[in-house]
């Protein structure tokens, strides 16, 4: 008879066939099988954000595969904490017929409501950039414009334009996770995450974004470790069909 761990490995194998390798590596390789208790499969995940994202995006699929292999309808997911070990999340995943009740993690887009397409000053010099920006905003994930790199001198309206893209995407798709972040803030977040052992949280967060807008990307020039983290995020987002937008005061070759 197969052990619980062997059955969990079977569950992972079935899930692996249904999603991309990047998605599997990000959201399933970090789950720890703890055992069976009172007719429930016990699992552990790294943090609460991970739990909420997993439940919201893969909960039904996970429940279905667990039900096939373990013949149970409940999953109890524990969130690992640095000091206190693991605690049970208040809401466990129930059977497929039940609604998975989870709240979305608190999320701020950091977009300015003032920088819209309507109040963007149009001119011959920015006509092409604005046209591409509007295309991305209304039809995101166009291969020709993903990633979109916007280069120009400081003060010409790059930040306004990419902000307008984010607002328009949200207007058309309110459930999308759109994030505007300056390269400086990205650098600070990365450097803070490493000594605090929060690097995995940092990566999980950025890999969950549907449209990532990084302003003034030239500010991480020479920051090798930060560039490496952004490169890994970039690859994950691109492989999973997410929109990526960069602005810079310097040409890519600089």
């Amino acid at each position: 008879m197969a052990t619980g761990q062997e059955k969990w490995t079977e569950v992972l194998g079935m899930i692996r066939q249904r999603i991309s390798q990047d998605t599997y590596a990000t959201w399933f390789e970090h789950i720890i099988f703890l055992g069976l208790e009172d007719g429930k499969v016990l699992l552990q995940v790294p943090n609460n954000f991970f739990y909420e994202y997993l439940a919201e995006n893969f909960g039904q699929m996970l429940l279905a595969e667990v039900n096939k292999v373990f013949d149970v309808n409940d999953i109890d997911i524990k969130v690992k904490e640095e000091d206190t070990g693991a605690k049970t999340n208040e809401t466990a995943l129930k059977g497929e017929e039940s609604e998975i009740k989870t709240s979305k993690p608190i999320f701020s887009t950091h977009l300015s409501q003032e920088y819209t397409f309507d109040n963007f000053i149009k001119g011959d010099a920015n006509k092409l950039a604005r046209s591409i920006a509007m295309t991305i905003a209304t039809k995101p994930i166009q291969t020709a414009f993903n990633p979109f790199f916007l280069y120009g001198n400081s003060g010409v309206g790059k930040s306004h334009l990419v902000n307008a893209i984010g607002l328009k995407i949200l207007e058309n798709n309110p459930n999308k996770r759109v994030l505007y972040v300056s390269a400086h803030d990205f650098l600070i977040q990365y450097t803070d995450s490493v000594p605090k052992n929060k690097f995995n949280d940092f990566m999980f967060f950025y890999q969950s974004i549907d449209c990532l807008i990084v302003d003034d990307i030239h500010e991480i020039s020479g920051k090798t470790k930060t560039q490496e983290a952004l490169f890994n995020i970039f690859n994950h987002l691109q492989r999973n069909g997410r929109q990526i937008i960069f602005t810079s005061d310097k040409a890519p070759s600089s």
Side-chain angles (χ1 to χ4, degrees):
M1 180 180 292
T3 65
Q5 184 62 57
E6 288 171 340
K7 289 183 177 181
W8 173 245
T9 300
E10 184 180 347
V11 169
L12 291 179
M14 296 167 72
I15 290 174
R16 195 167 192 163
Q17 296 175 19
R18 297 179 59 179
I19 58 179
S20 71
Q21 180 55 40
D22 280 347
T23 300
Y24 175 84
T26 300
W27 300 107
F28 288 92
E29 286 187 356
H30 300 277
I31 302 174
I32 298 173
F33 174 75
L34 299 178
L36 284 166
E37 184 177 287
D38 299 328
K40 297 179 182 179
V41 170
L42 305 183
L43 305 174
Q44 180 178 293
V45 296
N47 53 64
N48 195 59
F49 169 75
F50 191 109
Y51 165 77
E52 290 177 330
Y53 191 87
L54 182 75
E56 181 179 353
N57 293 276
F58 305 111
Q60 292 292 356
M61 178 179 67
L62 182 57
L63 281 166
E65 302 303 346
V66 163
N67 179 256
K68 290 177 187 176
V69 178
F70 287 91
D71 194 27
V72 298
N73 287 317
D74 284 358
I75 301 174
D76 193 0
I77 298 182
K78 299 175 182 294
V79 177
K80 183 178 181 182
E81 293 189 333
E82 292 180 11
D83 298 322
T84 60
K87 68 175 182 180
T88 303
N89 223 301
E90 290 184 1
T91 306
L93 301 183
K94 299 296 182 181
E96 285 184 277
E97 72 283 353
S98 301
E99 179 183 1
I100 297 176
K101 298 179 180 179
T102 60
S103 57
K104 291 186 178 180
I106 298 173
F107 181 77
S108 174
T109 65
H110 297 152
L111 292 167
S112 170
Q113 298 301 314
E114 297 178 2
Y115 292 159
T116 67
F117 280 111
D118 290 338
N119 59 25
F120 181 76
I121 300 175
K122 293 177 280 187
D124 291 339
N126 60 35
K127 184 177 181 180
L128 177 60
R130 186 183 184 281
S131 176
I132 294 173
M134 182 60 78
T135 298
I136 294 172
T138 53
K139 298 179 180 179
I141 323 302
Q142 297 292 312
T143 304
F145 306 125
N146 191 26
F148 179 42
F149 186 93
L150 188 59
Y151 155 66
N153 294 329
S154 179
V156 297
K158 300 186 302 297
S159 297
H160 186 143
L161 194 56
V162 297
N163 192 99
I165 294 175
L167 291 177
K168 180 61 71 173
I169 289 176
L170 284 176
E171 181 183 322
N172 296 330
N173 304 276
N175 293 324
K176 291 292 185 182
R177 290 170 64 84
V178 178
L179 179 68
Y180 170 94
V181 63
S182 70
H184 176 74
D185 285 345
F186 182 89
L187 171 63
I188 296 300
Q189 291 169 13
Y190 167 75
T191 54
D192 281 350
S193 73
V194 176
K196 295 179 181 178
N197 294 320
K198 297 290 186 181
F199 178 69
N200 283 343
D201 292 3
F202 170 83
M203 293 298 289
F204 290 144
F205 172 75
Y206 274 96
Q207 289 176 342
S208 74
I209 302 302
D210 294 307
C211 175
L212 177 61
I213 304 169
V214 183
D215 206 4
D216 295 327
I217 194 70
H218 57 274
E219 291 192 8
I220 63 171
S221 176
K223 309 296 183 181
T224 306
K225 293 295 184 181
T226 305
Q227 290 176 349
E228 183 178 327
L230 181 59
F231 177 75
N232 289 329
I233 292 167
F234 178 98
N235 278 344
H236 177 87
L237 296 182
Q238 189 175 50
R239 289 173 184 172
N240 286 276
R242 317 286 179 78
Q243 182 68 52
I244 304 164
I245 301 171
F246 294 147
T247 76
S248 177
D249 290 355
K250 299 180 180 180
S253 58
S254 299

